[in-house]
Amino acid sequence: MVAVLPGKPQATLQAVCTTEWNGRRLILYISGNALVILGGPYQLIQTIYHDDTQILGAVAIDKKTGKIATCARGNVNIYKPFGQNEDVLKWSLQYSFAVTDKDLDACTLSWGASEELLVGSTALSLYQTNEQEALIWRRELSSSAAVAVFSPDSGLIASTAKYDRLLKLWRRLSYGSDDVRFDFSYLSHPATVTGIHWRASDPHGQGTDILYTICADNKVRVWASTDSHASQVLQLWAELDVQASIQPRNLDSVPVVHTRYVFFVDSHDFIALVNAGLKAGAIAGKENHALEHLSEISERAPEVCVILDDRGHMSAWGFENVGVGAREPKNVFNIAHIENFNLLLPQTASHNTEFLAHHFDGRIVWLEGSIDDFFDPSPRRARLQVESLWTGHEGSIKKMVRTVSGKALISRTNDNEGIIWKQRHGSDGMALSRASFLDSPEHIHRTWLFADGSFTANLHHHSISLWDTRNYEAKQMARCDFQLQGKPLCLLELPHQDQSSPKRFLATISSHMKGIVWKINLPCDVKQEDTKPRGYLTIVQHCSFDLGIATDVAFVIPVDPAGSTPILTGILDTFSQDIALSYTESGVLQTWAAKVETEKGIVEWLMTSKVDTGVDRPFLTSGSSTRKIALVNSARNGLTIWDSRSGQMEFSKDYSPQEIIQDLDWTSTPDLQSILAVGFPHKVLVLAQIRYDYLDKGPAWAPIREIYIRESTPHPIGDSTWLGNGNLVIGAGTQIFVYDKLITTSDEMITDLSLPVHGHASVDIFDVVALLNGPLPVYHPQFLAQCILAGRMPQVSKIIVSLNTALKFLDGDHLDSLLALPAEEFFTNQQDLVLAASIKERHSDYTDFSDDEDSDNVTEELAASLNENLAKFPVPYLSSQEQMHLADIIECVATAEKHRRSMDENAMRYLLFVRQHMIRKAQGRKKQVGITWREIAWAFHSGSQDILVDLVSKHHNGRVLWENARESGMFMWMTDIDALRAQFETIARNEYTKTDEKNPIDCSLYYMALKKKTVLLGLWRMAAWNREQSSTQKFLANNFQEHRWKTAALKNAYALLGKRRFEYAAAFFLLAGNLRDAANVCAQQMQDIQLAIAITRVYEGDNGPVLHDLLEDRVLPMAAFDGNRWLAMWAFWMLGRRDMAVRSLITPVYTLLYTPETPSQEARSYLATDPALIVLYKQLRDKSLQTLKGASQISPRTEWEFVIQTARLYDRMGCDLLALDLIRNWEFLAQPKDTLPPLNQISDPRKMLRRRSSLVVDDLLSPRLTAERGVPAPTAWKEPDANSLLDSFGF
């Protein structure tokens, strides 16, 4: 926390008190109905709010017990300290009691001996406060007491009423709770007594009673006990004329000022300060004449009286031997007289003197300096430094609005009281200072700030007012009434062409989507006070407008500028900056841009984006100028973050029901990376955008800070906002907390992000977000993975080889992010890369005699050496977890390089990521059960599937079980149906032999799908240990082509379903020839869609009706619901609809299909748009006439938007070079120059290719396309010869 503004102190004599208790300094003051307890200029110990809203009138603390007393409207509250031994000092309410006085507003408090509390109002009442209050003495007064104070030894009470010149001095005659008696005498003054001060006793509790009184006749009187036989307890010892004590030297130029301010420094405090200054001077070894002068004075042990005026003059006087006999003339002497007394002190000065100044305009100032600087009579430019200033509101804060730049803000209360705060450079960075106070007689509905807080516009119910807030008290300068249909919802500033003009345009939009624009004229120089007539600042109605949108709009709010000023480029289009956000009850978000036509007197509006979130009745939403929108659901505990440009969801989180979200605030880094503060009742959670991660499906936002305020105040948070420099301002109750932008690196949230912040105790929040975003070094694992997917394996090899070389000579923490590789390497045209690779391959076949270290090939030896270095040394800009991922990728690339000549690019992609998946799974770092449909798609479109099958089999030591096959997805991507059945039979054998007992039940489903009942029957003959052998063997021997046995098999299948033996039940469905039910059991009960597809493909091939229905009725709706474009592409391709397969890569799946179910939030997530989709799209688009036809059905605009969106995704991932490569080298389909004919009438789609290829397959007349959906059921089984059934099992 940088600073705290604890609230506005009351303008009463007992609003502030301070003492030293248990070795620590405590400062207490009252603000509204709150008690503020501080331990230093920046240390807020506790804030205590009273249950009612009554304003507190006085506060006092007992310096012996630490008890605190407050009073408000006749009620006294006693607070008792606890936790001081555990260093968690707090106060809790001990009890409250009522004072039955007539004047409830008058109240004064003073602590005496033995926990006695004096309460003064229309009477003086003395209470004993040990465990429960007990009234032990009471005396009615003729006038309500303004001040009533115990002497340090509690033997005397000095009291006076308002405008009273007679001070009553009460002398205690007896002690004890049973019989307490006082008598009193008067100390007469010629005018009203305005102040009372008892000299404090020394640290040992010694000292005579000395009373100072300040009178309206501008004199200070000193009262002491000089005559023990006198009738009065105290006698007048001396008086000092404070008016005459300050006489300016130049009386002609300076008008005479009668205002004086007086405070006292007790002798023991003065001596201690001088001794501390002498000790510091002795250490410094410098001569100090001012300190020597004060040392001579301190030897006389004077009481010091300091007199100030408001013209910069100061006079200090000493009282020597007060109360020791009769006063002599030399006992009152001048210590110093200073002209041009300046409070500003150089930052390098030593501080041993602290002062508190209570201003009745609502401020408490903490001043620090050194005693010699303060009393030095020689001219000085500076003497004291303002260390802290405590101020704020008197009522609870409900709203905070900042300027566009974030350099100023206004905080408002329910009482229409506003304070404008501005950033100031303090000793420890940027802090807030109070610039102006605004008190509106009308209800303030909305507020907008101009010119960094110099002017303020307030929207009321039927008018708008303009205020000048350059002075300490704001003044209303202009006003304009209006009539508008509906309730005004927002107030926002509209951009216009001439930003340097003093003209500003404000607009409001009502609940009926109608609005008004006002033109405001500001002075050209806003820094100087306006000396022109009142009408110079004007506000007039410029025009009215109607947005013309549906009436179901729930609310319209201004877009948070997030540090950037809206600027017009001259054209109003979708690239214009958003200024307003609307949302409907059904969760549809719309962003708006506007342009003011000053000459035409109109305003143009444009809807820049529309996002259907599917969130019903949103409670709260907030948008930023960086095109991010946060949305809170109706339960107020669910948060989603959306990108309005792409319409995708980037974050979703449901908090506990107790965590109610009540505020959303945006800011951004200088390079426009977004930060969101989520406000809860007693905490603020700060979320930052991070790089997209499609490989691990990581979140796009992460919490980086959590701020709890319950320890400082029990009041719920009213509002919060960001300052431009990254500080977060939180308003709670009457207080404002300013949290700095530094984040502790040891915080659990930062350590969870594994940021490379080694050696730093704290980091700037903007630096943290920059580390989580921005361009990645080329050796980052995410960049390497995306290069592999983009088909840039040569660059990946060069990066790894270059990294190996760089780490050998790494000196310090610097490592070139490009590894000295030319940037052109990453956006060279693909054809040039292929040519270079072929030349290199010919070169390596015949004339490669170079050393391995100079080669671009990543061998297994190089990978092992590099990974050994990665395990030893930290790599700059990589966290420890990222280094492990990098080692995994290097190992995978080395494995893929070994098979480079025997497989195509898609097989290489599959192998790399399957290998990486297996490594992470072996290390326990992979939560995902199997590979994704993206890897399945690569293998599905590979021409090297036999090699991939062999590699998967070798990885499992030739014993591939179904769980291994499902993990690799092989039965989804294998296209050769004969090879698929052969591999399925291998799975069947392995399932049978996976246990020592060799249970035929384990392989029943697989042999039934293969239609090899006879093999299964033979296995049952050898399962003598199984109690089901006899019945099952006898049952399988029947002919299941007969209706009787087919029905029996179905009955057994349903019986097994009832026993939840789902896999065995599916086998009996297959035995009955019911493939559809078997597939449904696998998909529904077993939740294994791959098994359902596998047995269907094995049983009836790829053109059967069950597979067709399974893909259309289950797989495609599932892809649409989840937004899985990879799965949709595969399903369409399997259905022979290759045109739709290509379209599904670019278009959201739920827009291509009619599904009764609403798409899930995941379908709207950014993860549904993988940048690798564009790689497969380009590959498939040119593959056949069907795919070309599908691509031709995609409008050029849609394809262009997809390319731009993919480039943005690369940018969010930190792969800027790949984004540049995509934008530079993408080739769109050529559009005919004439009018485009209907898509189904294009004679030859190959004409759309810019480069004609002879490899485009003509599949427009494919038999699969013309096949009817109702394919006849398969005929009777053709069982193999029984003599060769068991050969494969070694029997």
Side-chain angles (χ1 to χ4, degrees):
M1 186 188 300
V2 170
V4 57
L5 300 166
K8 178 183 178 181
Q10 300 295 98
T12 61
L13 292 176
Q14 278 200 297
V16 184
C17 66
T18 178
T19 189
E20 187 172 346
W21 178 68
N22 276 4
R24 64 190 303 170
R25 171 61 58 182
L26 298 175
I27 305 99
L28 301 87
Y29 77 88
I30 52 177
S31 173
N33 66 331
L35 168 64
V36 182
I37 307 172
L38 301 111
Y42 304 107
Q43 182 188 7
L44 177 63
I45 298 177
Q46 188 180 3
T47 304
I48 302 174
Y49 285 87
H50 288 69
D51 294 336
D52 52 26
T53 58
Q54 295 178 356
I55 304 300
L56 297 177
V59 61
I61 183 170
D62 187 359
K63 65 179 182 180
K64 296 178 182 178
T65 63
K67 282 188 173 182
I68 298 173
T70 63
C71 66
R73 299 286 297 171
N75 292 315
V76 177
N77 303 298
I78 307 298
Y79 298 92
K80 189 175 182 179
F82 67 92
Q84 56 267 34
N85 296 329
E86 293 81 15
D87 199 25
V88 286
L89 178 62
K90 299 291 180 183
W91 278 260
S92 63
L93 181 66
Q94 186 179 8
Y95 53 79
S96 301
F97 60 90
V99 179
T100 57
D101 289 340
K102 297 178 182 179
D103 189 357
L104 298 179
D105 291 329
C107 185
T108 177
L109 301 172
S110 181
W111 286 96
S114 303
E115 300 186 36
E116 293 177 346
L117 178 66
L118 177 67
V119 181
S121 182
T122 56
L124 290 183
S125 304
L126 186 62
Y127 292 86
Q128 178 58 248
T129 65
N130 287 328
E131 297 299 331
Q132 190 67 32
E133 89 282 354
L135 181 63
I136 59 177
W137 176 77
R138 179 180 174 85
R139 185 69 177 266
E140 296 290 339
L141 300 176
S142 58
S143 300
S144 299
V147 181
V149 187
F150 264 120
S151 64
D153 61 358
S154 303
L156 299 173
I157 298 174
S159 70
T160 182
K162 194 174 183 180
Y163 308 119
D164 196 352
R165 68 179 188 86
L166 296 177
L167 183 143
K168 284 185 178 180
L169 193 65
W170 304 78
R171 181 177 59 179
R172 189 163 189 167
L173 302 177
S174 63
Y175 291 85
S177 59
D178 296 334
D179 183 22
V180 176
R181 290 179 294 122
F182 285 85
D183 66 1
F184 70 91
S185 59
Y186 288 103
L187 299 182
S188 179
H189 293 72
T192 302
V193 178
T194 58
I196 298 174
H197 174 74
W198 288 100
R199 184 190 69 170
S201 57
D202 62 23
H204 303 289
Q206 304 298 321
T208 59
D209 292 328
I210 298 175
L211 176 66
Y212 302 97
T213 60
I214 306 171
C215 191
D217 63 350
N218 281 329
K219 288 186 178 181
V220 171
R221 291 173 173 81
V222 185
W223 306 83
S225 178
T226 58
D227 185 359
S228 58
H229 301 288
S231 59
Q232 291 184 330
V233 180
L234 299 180
Q235 297 83 41
L236 180 64
W237 184 82
E239 64 179 22
L240 178 66
D241 191 337
V242 297
Q243 181 67 34
S245 63
I246 295 179
Q247 295 294 335
R249 298 175 182 177
N250 190 353
L251 297 179
D252 296 333
S253 59
V254 180
V256 178
V257 179
H258 299 283
T259 305
R260 298 290 185 269
Y261 307 95
V262 180
F263 68 92
F264 303 93
V265 181
D266 297 329
S267 60
H268 57 84
D269 290 332
F270 180 75
I271 294 171
L273 289 172
V274 173
N275 291 337
L278 291 172
K279 184 177 180 180
I283 296 175
K286 294 182 180 180
E287 189 176 3
N288 191 329
H289 296 292
L291 199 56
E292 293 173 0
H293 171 65
L294 293 177
S295 177
E296 295 175 0
I297 293 176
S298 67
E299 293 176 357
R300 303 172 65 176
E303 310 294 330
V304 180
C305 174
V306 181
I307 305 168
L308 303 168
D309 68 3
D310 53 6
R311 297 290 182 178
H313 303 97
M314 188 271 280
S315 181
W317 295 79
F319 303 134
E320 182 183 9
N321 297 327
V322 180
V324 182
R327 179 180 65 84
E328 299 180 5
K330 65 178 182 180
N331 291 145
V332 179
F333 59 93
N334 183 261
I335 297 176
H337 182 84
I338 300 172
E339 302 280 341
N340 299 323
F341 187 79
N342 195 343
L343 292 182
L344 297 178
L345 183 73
Q347 300 296 320
T348 57
S350 60
H351 300 163
N352 60 10
T353 308
E354 298 169 346
F355 299 93
L356 283 179
H358 177 203
H359 299 260
F360 272 30
D361 62 356
R363 294 176 293 153
I364 298 176
V365 184
W366 180 299
L367 302 166
E368 288 189 357
S370 60
I371 190 71
D372 52 319
D373 287 332
F374 187 82
F375 288 107
D376 188 0
S378 60
R380 284 178 176 268
R381 295 185 58 187
R383 297 179 183 273
L384 291 181
Q385 173 188 342
V386 178
E387 181 65 20
S388 182
L389 189 148
W390 298 327
T391 184
H393 287 276
E394 192 174 7
S396 296
I397 297 171
K398 75 167 186 178
K399 186 63 179 176
M400 303 176 78
V401 180
R402 74 170 205 174
T403 60
V404 173
S405 63
K407 295 180 180 179
L409 63 92
I410 182 173
S411 53
R412 295 199 331 257
T413 67
N414 290 319
D415 301 326
N416 301 312
E417 170 191 282
I419 297 179
I420 288 83
W421 308 89
K422 292 188 178 182
Q423 282 186 333
R424 294 285 187 269
H425 287 278
S427 58
D428 53 356
M430 300 293 291
L432 281 183
S433 66
R434 175 173 165 172
S436 185
F437 173 78
L438 185 152
D439 190 6
S440 173
E442 297 180 83
H443 172 72
I444 300 176
H445 190 53
R446 295 288 184 267
T447 299
W448 195 268
L449 298 179
F450 301 99
D452 289 335
S454 297
F455 303 95
T456 302
N458 291 324
L459 181 68
H460 312 288
H461 289 303
H462 299 290
S463 65
I464 184 170
S465 58
L466 181 62
W467 297 70
D468 186 344
T469 53
R470 291 174 291 181
N471 299 318
Y472 194 77
E473 290 189 5
K475 296 180 181 179
Q476 181 176 324
M477 306 300 293
R479 178 188 180 88
C480 182
D481 296 332
F482 67 87
Q483 294 293 328
L484 185 62
Q485 184 180 355
K487 179 183 177 181
L489 299 178
C490 64
L491 186 65
L492 48 92
E493 184 176 0
L494 303 182
H496 60 102
Q497 290 287 354
D498 190 3
Q499 294 292 326
S500 61
S501 169
K503 295 180 181 179
R504 297 291 186 270
F505 293 90
L506 277 183
T508 184
I509 303 174
S510 74
S511 55
H512 290 187
M513 296 300 106
K514 301 181 184 301
I516 296 176
V517 178
W518 293 279
K519 182 173 69 174
I520 298 174
N521 288 317
L522 301 179
C524 296
D525 189 357
V526 297
K527 296 182 180 180
Q528 296 183 359
E529 185 176 354
D530 189 14
T531 58
K532 295 193 176 184
R534 178 186 175 118
Y536 181 65
L537 289 172
T538 61
I539 177 169
V540 296
Q541 183 169 326
H542 180 69
C543 66
S544 60
F545 60 87
D546 186 351
L547 285 180
I549 57 178
T551 56
D552 64 340
V553 172
F555 219 88
V556 181
I557 59 173
V559 166
D560 195 320
S564 60
T565 305
I567 298 176
L568 275 183
T569 58
I571 303 175
L572 189 62
D573 54 19
T574 55
F575 295 99
S576 300
Q577 187 166 330
D578 299 333
I579 64 168
L581 167 67
S582 65
Y583 61 93
T584 66
E585 293 290 347
S586 59
V588 177
L589 305 175
Q590 295 170 310
T591 57
W592 301 85
K595 176 184 177 182
V596 177
E597 294 286 354
T598 55
E599 296 180 357
K600 298 180 181 179
I602 62 172
V603 58
E604 295 181 7
W605 289 89
L606 176 68
M607 185 173 64
T608 56
S609 68
K610 184 175 182 179
V611 181
D612 186 0
T613 65
V615 179
D616 290 331
R617 295 180 292 108
F619 166 72
L620 180 66
T621 186
S622 178
S624 78
S625 58
T626 55
R627 301 289 178 95
K628 306 295 180 185
I629 302 175
L631 188 70
V632 179
N633 64 4
S634 58
R636 301 177 61 180
N637 66 340
L639 174 68
T640 53
I641 301 177
W642 302 78
D643 187 313
S644 63
R645 183 184 288 110
S646 63
Q648 294 176 335
M649 183 182 68
E650 297 185 339
F651 178 81
S652 179
K653 175 74 174 180
D654 288 328
Y655 299 94
S656 65
Q658 293 77 24
E659 294 182 297
I660 302 300
I661 302 173
Q662 60 185 25
D663 188 29
L664 300 168
D665 294 290
W666 290 98
T667 189
S668 64
T669 63
D671 47 357
L672 301 181
Q673 291 153 354
S674 299
I675 305 172
L676 175 65
V678 184
F680 298 88
H682 295 282
K683 73 173 182 178
V684 174
L685 181 65
V686 179
L687 300 174
Q689 73 172 50
I690 61 178
R691 297 183 186 93
Y692 285 168
D693 183 4
Y694 288 92
L695 301 179
D696 292 330
K697 295 186 177 180
W701 290 76
I704 60 174
R705 191 176 191 180
E706 200 166 24
I707 299 173
Y708 290 92
I709 69 163
R710 195 183 286 273
E711 293 183 357
S712 301
T713 175
H715 201 287
I717 296 174
D719 200 7
S720 61
T721 190
W722 291 95
L723 296 179
N725 66 336
N727 289 352
L728 181 63
V729 182
I730 300 175
T734 62
Q735 301 173 331
I736 293 178
F737 303 90
V738 184
Y739 290 87
D740 65 6
K741 57 183 178 180
L742 295 179
I743 300 178
T744 306
T745 55
S746 59
D747 189 278
E748 184 178 353
M749 291 183 176
I750 300 300
T751 55
D752 289 345
L753 293 173
S754 303
L755 290 175
V757 289
H758 315 291
H760 297 280
S762 59
V763 188
D764 189 302
I765 187 172
F766 289 165
D767 294 336
V768 170
V769 179
L771 289 172
L772 294 171
N773 296 274
L776 293 170
V778 294
Y779 52 83
H780 193 281
Q782 174 151 288
F783 184 84
L784 291 175
Q786 291 301 322
C787 282
I788 293 169
L789 289 174
R792 292 196 166 270
M793 279 298 296
Q795 279 69 32
V796 173
S797 299
K798 287 184 180 181
I799 291 171
I800 295 175
V801 172
S802 300
L803 179 62
N804 182 50
T805 305
L807 289 183
K808 292 179 179 179
F809 305 100
L810 182 62
D811 184 16
D813 294 335
H814 177 71
L815 185 62
D816 182 18
S817 61
L818 289 176
L819 296 176
L821 295 172
E824 294 79 8
E825 283 274 354
F826 300 95
F827 48 82
T828 306
N829 191 280
Q830 292 283 359
Q831 281 74 16
D832 298 336
L833 287 176
V834 173
L835 179 61
S838 61
I839 295 175
K840 174 188 172 185
E841 188 167 347
R842 290 197 301 270
H843 176 73
S844 62
D845 286 343
Y846 303 105
T847 60
D848 190 359
F849 303 106
S850 61
D851 193 281
D852 288 340
E853 291 187 1
D854 298 331
S855 171
D856 288 340
N857 292 331
V858 180
T859 62
E860 293 184 342
E861 293 77 13
L862 185 145
S865 173
L866 180 53
N867 286 347
E868 184 178 351
N869 289 331
L870 289 175
K872 293 179 181 178
F873 309 109
V875 179
Y877 313 116
L878 292 186
S879 65
S880 56
Q881 186 176 5
E882 289 168 345
Q883 279 194 220
M884 289 192 292
H885 290 178
L886 176 60
D888 295 345
I889 286 186
I890 292 172
E891 184 178 344
C892 294
V893 170
T895 304
E897 278 286 335
K898 186 169 65 173
H899 302 280
R900 178 166 55 90
R901 292 184 178 88
S902 57
M903 61 176 63
D904 56 19
E905 280 191 354
N906 286 342
M908 293 275 285
R909 292 184 178 102
Y910 174 84
L911 176 62
L912 279 165
F913 291 102
V914 168
R915 174 76 174 162
Q916 187 175 356
H917 166 79
M918 297 299 181
I919 291 175
R920 294 192 186 184
K921 181 184 175 184
Q923 296 171 347
R925 294 189 283 122
K926 193 71 174 177
K927 298 180 182 179
Q928 188 174 301
V929 176
I931 63 173
T932 67
W933 282 94
R934 177 185 55 220
E935 282 70 50
I936 291 175
W938 296 127
F940 182 68
H941 291 288
S942 169
S944 311
Q945 293 180 355
D946 52 343
I947 298 176
L948 294 181
V949 171
D950 184 56
L951 290 174
V952 171
S953 179
K954 286 182 178 178
H955 177 77
H956 297 288
N957 300 317
R959 296 186 57 82
V960 181
L961 302 175
W962 170 250
E963 60 177 343
N964 308 129
R966 180 179 58 227
E967 186 179 30
S968 67
M970 64 165 54
F971 289 97
M972 304 300 102
W973 49 257
M974 291 180 67
T975 55
D976 187 340
I977 197 66
D978 294 329
L980 181 136
R981 286 173 174 147
Q983 186 63 33
F984 203 74
E985 188 169 1
T986 303
I987 299 289
R989 289 196 300 268
N990 294 336
E991 287 288 340
Y992 174 71
T993 59
K994 67 180 179 182
T995 60
D996 293 336
E997 62 184 9
K998 297 180 180 178
N999 193 345
I1001 296 177
D1002 295 337
C1003 62
S1004 296
L1005 176 62
Y1006 306 96
Y1007 279 113
M1008 289 293 102
L1010 289 164
K1011 304 177 183 179
K1012 293 189 176 182
K1013 185 193 70 172
T1014 310
V1015 175
L1016 185 61
L1017 182 60
L1019 298 179
W1020 273 106
R1021 292 190 186 120
M1022 293 179 290
W1025 55 271
N1026 195 317
R1027 63 181 182 179
E1028 299 178 3
Q1029 182 202 25
S1030 177
S1031 58
T1032 304
Q1033 184 178 348
K1034 183 179 179 181
F1035 184 75
L1036 290 177
N1038 297 301
N1039 182 7
F1040 289 91
Q1041 295 303 313
E1042 298 179 8
H1043 179 74
R1044 170 192 172 189
W1045 295 112
K1046 188 177 294 187
T1047 303
L1050 289 174
K1051 289 182 179 180
N1052 278 290
Y1054 288 117
L1056 290 169
L1057 283 178
K1059 296 179 181 180
R1060 304 189 65 81
R1061 298 175 66 181
F1062 299 128
E1063 183 177 327
Y1064 205 27
F1068 272 85
F1069 276 123
L1070 291 178
L1071 182 63
N1074 197 335
L1075 173 61
R1076 192 179 303 276
D1077 286 342
N1080 288 335
V1081 169
C1082 295
Q1084 288 184 356
Q1085 277 73 22
M1086 298 179 65
Q1087 292 295 305
D1088 192 345
I1089 190 65
Q1090 285 200 38
L1091 183 59
I1093 295 172
I1095 64 171
T1096 306
R1097 295 185 68 189
V1098 170
Y1099 193 91
E1100 67 175 9
D1102 287 346
N1103 296 316
V1106 176
L1107 178 62
H1108 185 280
D1109 294 346
L1110 183 64
L1111 294 175
E1112 281 208 339
D1113 300 337
R1114 189 176 297 276
V1115 176
L1116 283 176
M1118 181 173 66
F1121 181 76
D1122 296 334
N1124 193 334
R1125 301 189 188 183
W1126 301 98
L1127 176 58
M1129 181 281 307
W1130 176 86
F1132 278 127
W1133 199 278
M1134 288 292 295
L1135 288 169
R1137 302 175 61 184
R1138 298 184 177 184
D1139 54 339
M1140 293 295 292
V1142 172
R1143 292 176 60 189
S1144 66
L1145 293 173
I1146 275 191
T1147 313
V1149 186
Y1150 59 83
T1151 63
L1152 299 175
L1153 300 170
Y1154 171 75
T1155 54
E1157 197 170 8
T1158 304
S1160 66
Q1161 292 281 22
E1162 288 73 18
R1164 298 181 172 95
S1165 171
Y1166 79 96
L1167 292 171
T1169 311
D1170 192 327
L1173 288 167
I1174 202 167
V1175 179
L1176 185 59
Y1177 168 75
K1178 182 174 176 56
Q1179 186 182 121
L1180 298 185
R1181 184 186 68 178
D1182 307 342
K1183 194 167 187 177
S1184 71
L1185 292 183
Q1186 263 203 77
T1187 58
L1188 270 176
K1189 179 182 177 182
S1192 67
Q1193 295 175 343
I1194 301 171
S1195 67
R1197 174 77 181 183
T1198 302
E1199 184 174 345
W1200 178 84
E1201 290 177 348
F1202 184 66
V1203 172
I1204 295 300
Q1205 182 184 6
T1206 304
R1208 290 196 186 106
L1209 296 179
Y1210 276 134
D1211 180 66
R1212 270 299 300 271
M1213 297 173 69
C1215 305
D1216 301 63
L1217 291 172
L1218 295 181
L1220 179 60
D1221 168 47
L1222 177 64
I1223 297 298
R1224 179 175 179 177
N1225 297 317
W1226 183 262
E1227 290 185 357
F1228 292 91
L1229 291 178
Q1231 300 298 319
K1233 296 181 180 180
D1234 301 330
T1235 304
L1236 190 66
L1239 297 174
N1240 56 2
Q1241 297 181 13
I1242 298 178
S1243 58
D1244 189 358
R1246 283 176 291 189
K1247 294 180 179 179
M1248 301 182 69
L1249 292 175
R1250 295 185 183 272
R1251 303 186 186 190
R1252 295 296 299 274
S1253 172
S1254 59
L1255 300 179
V1256 177
V1257 179
D1258 185 358
D1259 56 357
L1260 286 178
L1261 299 179
S1262 172
R1264 173 184 290 178
L1265 290 177
T1266 58
E1268 295 295 333
R1269 186 168 179 175
V1271 178
T1275 57
W1277 292 357
K1278 182 179 180 181
E1279 298 184 0
D1281 187 359
N1283 295 328
S1284 61
L1285 291 179
L1286 304 180
D1287 291 347
S1288 299
F1289 296 93
F1291 299 126

